[in-house]
Amino acid sequence: MIKAVIFDLDGVLVTTDELHYRAWKQLAAEEGIKGFTKEDNIRQRGVSRMASLEVLLEKSDKKYSDEEKLALADRKNNIYVRSLAGLDRSAVLDGVFEFIDHIKSMGIKTAVGSASKNTPMILEKTGLAALFDAVSCGLDTQNSKPDPEVFLIAADKLGIPYKNCLVIEDSDAGIQAAKAGGMLALAVGAAKNNPHADYSAESLADSCILRERHYTGIL
Ligand code: B16
Ligand code: MG
């Protein structure tokens, strides 16, 4: 029985995935790194800032020291954070507010489980912050998805057993993390065809999520 839903942030609750992509694109252009594509960006979903940088650097001939890598990650984050300046409620993906209202009305707890260290700021700016009973993010963790740590911390903050948690994710790394943590996983968006997910849907706006028998059964 599901007692808590743990939501990924980027690509599940908000549209910041495109802003991450543009920020990495800009950094690539500044560094003269060619051939960074949307497909590469899909592999950056859900993984930490440093792991995302490694995906970009696969396209570079230059060898960067650890110090230079930290500086590159900082530059990307500065570009990304600047692009969040005008972020507001309109960045919340379709169906999110309705879905959260629905599960809260059933007494189900809600949490965020995101790799992003910018999670608190994004939740505040989009008006989502008050809707969650707990937040676990890149500021809380040592290991990034596919390690389950971010979701285990979310469940621990809620005081709910792992087997009673449903994780909603748009990344393959996130689905792997949820399953490694002994949780159920609903794959949406870019991860919707992931064979390891227990359930899948186009997005939270997909009305079948609330209508279909097996979903109502688990929720
Ligand atoms: P930051 P999620 C992830 O968010 C993004 O999908 C991923 O592309 C990014 O590298 C990661 O957050 C870290 O973000 O640089 O803001 O700390 O999908 O786990 O909500
Ligand atoms: Mg995501």
Side-chain angles (χ1 to χ4, degrees), residues 84-124:
L84 296 176
L87 198 75
D88 61 18
R89 199 180 160 96
S90 66
V92 177
L93 284 159
D94 285 349
V96 166
F97 285 114
E98 295 82 349
F99 185 85
I100 294 175
D101 272 359
H102 179 75
I103 60 172
K104 282 175 96 72
S105 74
M106 298 171 81
I108 291 170
K109 297 268 184 215
T110 56
V112 174
S114 168
S116 178
K117 293 182 173 166
N118 295 298
T119 296
M121 188 230 305
I122 293 170
L123 292 177
E124 281 304 327

Side-chain angles (χ1 to χ4, degrees), residues 140-185:
D140 300 282
T141 56
Q142 300 298 320
N143 308 296
S144 80
K145 302 167 191 174
D147 189 285
E149 186 183 16
V150 74
F151 297 137
L152 302 186
I153 291 173
D156 290 347
K157 285 187 179 184
L158 293 172
I160 302 285
Y162 305 148
K163 68 175 175 11
N164 298 120
C165 294
L166 172 72
V167 169
I168 307 184
E169 256 292 348
D170 74 320
S171 73
D172 291 335
I175 298 294
Q176 211 181 318
K179 295 316 295 172
M183 299 177 177
L184 288 164

Side-chain angles (χ1 to χ4, degrees), residues 8-10 44-47 49 52 114-118 145:
D8 173 57
L9 179 68
D10 170 56
Q44 293 176 313
R45 279 173 193 257
V47 301
R49 198 177 302 165
S52 294
S114 168
S116 178
K117 293 182 173 166
N118 295 298
K145 302 167 191 174

Side-chain angles (χ1 to χ4, degrees), residues 10-134:
D10 170 56
V12 170
L13 294 175
V14 290
T15 56
T16 42
D17 43 342
E18 181 62 24
L19 299 177
H20 275 294
Y21 174 56
R22 286 189 211 158
W24 286 118
K25 266 293 224 208
Q26 184 176 326
L27 184 72
E30 289 173 9
E31 284 297 301
I33 299 171
K34 296 197 169 54
F36 174 72
T37 64
K38 198 88 195 177
E39 282 66 44
D40 298 318
N41 173 245
I42 287 174
R43 289 195 291 127
Q44 293 176 313
R45 279 173 193 257
V47 301
S48 69
R49 198 177 302 165
M50 295 309 289
S52 294
L53 175 66
E54 293 298 340
V55 174
L56 175 69
L57 294 185
E58 288 171 15
K59 294 284 158 76
S60 170
D61 299 329
K62 186 174 162 190
K63 288 279 159 272
Y64 293 89
S65 68
D66 287 350
E67 208 171 87
E68 287 170 329
K69 286 182 184 178
L70 283 172
L72 285 177
D74 265 357
R75 272 168 59 198
K76 180 269 174 178
N77 190 51
N78 290 338
I79 299 166
Y80 176 61
V81 169
R82 272 201 301 276
S83 75
L84 296 176
L87 198 75
D88 61 18
R89 199 180 160 96
S90 66
V92 177
L93 284 159
D94 285 349
V96 166
F97 285 114
E98 295 82 349
F99 185 85
I100 294 175
D101 272 359
H102 179 75
I103 60 172
K104 282 175 96 72
S105 74
M106 298 171 81
I108 291 170
K109 297 268 184 215
T110 56
V112 174
S114 168
S116 178
K117 293 182 173 166
N118 295 298
T119 296
M121 188 230 305
I122 293 170
L123 292 177
E124 281 304 327
K125 278 174 156 293
T126 53
L128 285 165
L131 302 181
F132 297 99
D133 301 302

